Amino acid sequence: MQHFKRWITALVFAPLVVWVLAAGSPQLVAGLICVVAIATLREYLRIVFARQGTPVSLPVKAISYIMTIILVVGATLGDFQVMFLIFVLNFLVLACFALSRFITDPAIFDVIARQALGFVYIPVPLSLLVFLKGMEGGALWIVWMLIVIFANDTGAFYAGTYRGKHKLAPRISPKKTVEGAFGGIVASVVAGFVFCLIFFSDLALGLVMIPCTFLMAVAGQVGDLFESAMKRGSSIKDSGRILPGHGGMLDRIDGLLFAVPVLYVYLVFAI
């Protein structure tokens, strides 16, 4: 049943997401990214503040969501200087918030540190999708990346389920195995090479992208473990329930958050 739910959810949502990212206007892409980023950031805040036993304060949520929207919209301008200024603006707003609360809450710096981490962790890498979209063949590269990440998750899931024997990181994620990690990497490399040939009809490019595919697969699995460590530290099983069979939005895109910067840097500096 769990496998059935995973596939149904993927078949329902994947075509819509791929269509928006591949064929949608920059404004539509930015809108989708904002929705995903805010939903993911909401789950992240719930996780990192769970151990305090108190809900996330409204000002922290407001700062996080507003700055996320501004950052993604700023990315549509195609200028990293604008994004850097927005990044700095987030810290300035946090500094003012910390000063206003310090007298009554000396632990406020712990709060803003968690928000700052979430800002770097979620909206910053997601905003890079806007830059990828603007590259030559950007739509195809985004679809290619999603296929690679999906192959990584699927390969790791089934290899670990049916062949997994040696624990990868038992204190962080007891169900993850070395065999599953290897299966995910192999599935990613194969899928990346095959779909690079299909999309770009260039054997040389397919071969050049193999190291990138490998790095993306490793980064994706590191991202998965990173989220698992956060959840384990807060005694939370799933980041949410928005996606049947997958858990929350963060559960679904944890690997993507680490893989997007890898692809962007590789395309800019290696291709």
Side-chain angles (χ1 to χ4, degrees):
M1 181 59 69
Q2 184 74 0
H3 295 197
F4 179 74
K5 288 182 179 180
R6 288 174 67 93
W7 281 101
I8 290 296
T9 301
L11 291 174
V12 170
F13 288 101
L16 176 62
V17 172
V18 169
W19 179 83
V20 171
L21 292 175
S25 65
Q27 294 75 21
L28 186 59
V29 171
L32 174 63
I33 293 173
C34 282
V35 171
V36 172
I38 290 174
T40 308
L41 196 55
R42 177 177 176 273
E43 295 175 355
Y44 163 83
L45 291 173
R46 184 177 71 88
I47 292 171
V48 296
F49 285 99
R51 296 187 67 177
Q52 290 186 339
T54 56
V56 186
S57 67
L58 183 59
V60 172
K61 288 183 179 180
I63 293 172
S64 301
Y65 301 157
I66 292 172
M67 286 300 166
T68 292
I69 294 173
I70 293 175
L71 182 70
V72 176
V73 172
T76 62
L77 301 176
D79 192 339
F80 269 109
Q81 291 181 341
V82 174
M83 289 189 64
F84 178 75
L85 290 175
I86 297 170
F87 190 76
V88 173
L89 178 62
N90 181 67
F91 281 101
L92 292 176
V93 173
L94 287 177
C96 293
F97 174 69
L99 291 175
S100 68
R101 295 294 182 90
F102 180 74
I103 300 300
T104 57
D105 184 10
I108 190 63
F109 284 97
D110 180 59
V111 173
I112 65 172
R114 298 182 191 194
Q115 191 277 352
L117 172 61
F119 195 70
V120 175
Y121 176 38
I122 296 170
V124 169
L126 286 179
S127 65
L128 290 178
L129 290 172
V130 177
F131 287 89
L132 284 172
K133 173 73 172 176
M135 291 182 173
E136 182 179 356
L140 288 177
W141 281 121
I142 291 176
V143 175
W144 178 84
M145 175 187 62
L146 294 176
I147 291 172
V148 170
I149 296 302
F150 178 75
N152 190 24
D153 291 343
T154 304
F157 180 80
Y158 286 104
T161 299
Y162 296 107
R163 298 292 182 182
K165 295 180 180 180
H166 303 87
K167 300 297 182 181
L168 179 65
R171 293 189 177 182
I172 297 176
S173 184
K175 293 184 178 180
K176 289 182 174 58
T177 63
V178 174
E179 292 81 2
F182 181 75
I185 292 174
V186 171
S188 292
V189 171
V190 172
F193 178 74
V194 170
F195 279 92
C196 197
L197 295 181
I198 293 174
F199 290 163
F200 302 102
S201 302
D202 190 334
L203 177 60
L205 181 61
L207 294 173
V208 169
M209 291 304 296
I210 288 178
C212 178
T213 310
F214 173 81
L215 292 174
M216 287 171 59
V218 173
Q221 294 188 19
V222 171
D224 193 355
L225 287 172
F226 181 75
E227 193 227 357
S228 295
M230 285 196 304
K231 291 189 296 185
R232 180 158 292 274
S234 298
S235 300
I236 292 176
K237 183 178 184 296
D238 294 320
S239 66
R241 299 179 180 178
I242 192 172
L243 298 173
H246 295 274
M249 188 68 72
L250 184 56
D251 293 325
R252 180 66 277 175
I253 69 168
D254 51 4
L256 180 69
L257 295 173
F258 279 58
V260 171
V262 173
L263 176 60
Y264 181 79
V265 170
Y266 198 89
L267 290 178
V268 170
F269 295 103
I271 302 299

